Amino acid sequence: TQLLEQSPQFLSIQEGENLTVYCNSSSVFSSLQWYRQEPGEGPVLLVTVVTGGEVKKLKRLTFQFGDARKDSSLHITAAQPGDTGLYLCAGTPSPYSGGGADGLTFGKGTHLIIQP
Amino acid sequence: DSGVTQTPKHLITATGQRVTLRCSPRSGDLSVYWYQQSLDQGLQFLIQYYNGEERAKGNILERFSAQQFPDLHSELNLSSLELGDSALYFCASSVRSGVEVGEQYFGPGTRLTVT
């Protein structure tokens, strides 16, 4: 079973602060995706990372895929109240680490609250 | 708006009953995925269909089944419902078929409450 562990589970910070959330696994993933979910709504895709060591930037959000493709991080600079939400990482397991099903494996998520 | 539609938005039913959830994928997407989200388990992959054929199974119970029709919409059938089946059910679609990188786009979900 390819598990994705996210940390921290909960994070509450002040507007303007920086933060990093992590997504770790002992398995290799072909790709990792980050989603943001609002209560009662479907996850919204933020980014997909594919290549080990890859870094992608989306405005104030920076995503990194680990060199070994087992972990990823999301860094938010100067957080704003609009960043509040549940951040989920999800992966497509590599066939070489026992993957085969095409459904995404999700972490439990990081509940982020940005206080004004 | 992801382009994926799901109906109904909310569903309340009794234990032992059967319900059908419906999903229409984004235009051009051939793959449909079903997920269940509960507070304790998080998002769990149930099943995938690609161009009408079952492609992959995840943690789907035998009481649950799905199909994808020629127009590519999909239905998830849940039968002999139990209290523990109460959850959010999401449909996602992708243009890709398989283990290559496949970005999935999620619908707004159906909230099922079993009483």
Side-chain angles (χ1 to χ4, degrees), chain B:
Chain B
D1 185 354
S2 67
V4 179
T5 60
Q6 288 188 247
T7 56
K9 180 75 172 172
H10 301 279
L11 197 50
I12 301 174
T13 189
T15 55
Q17 295 298 305
R18 171 190 166 97
V19 296
T20 297
L21 314 182
R22 182 188 169 103
C23 166
S24 292
R26 294 187 319 162
S27 177
D29 284 359
L30 300 179
S31 271
V32 169
Y33 306 77
W34 286 98
Y35 292 84
Q36 179 192 58
Q37 186 176 36
S38 59
L39 284 175
D40 55 341
Q41 294 292 325
L43 266 162
Q44 299 276 313
F45 166 63
L46 296 177
I47 196 164
Q48 177 202 3
Y49 276 80
Y50 175 75
N51 203 21
E53 301 282 331
E54 182 183 303
R55 178 61 190 247
K57 272 188 173 180
N59 300 320
I60 189 166
L61 300 172
E62 286 192 9
R63 300 183 286 107
F64 296 180
S65 65
Q67 54 185 328
Q68 187 179 28
F69 295 87
D71 66 353
L72 299 178
H73 91 271
S74 178
E75 293 180 356
L76 179 67
N77 301 297
L78 315 177
S79 62
S80 302
L81 285 167
E82 303 174 359
L83 295 177
D85 297 327
S86 295
L88 274 166
Y89 290 84
F90 289 104
C91 166
S93 75
S94 170
V95 66
R96 294 179 174 84
S97 66
V99 296
E100 68 272 26
V101 174
E103 295 179 336
Q104 297 183 20
Y105 296 87
F106 283 74
T110 293
R111 180 176 294 279
L112 173 67
T113 303
V114 182
T115 61

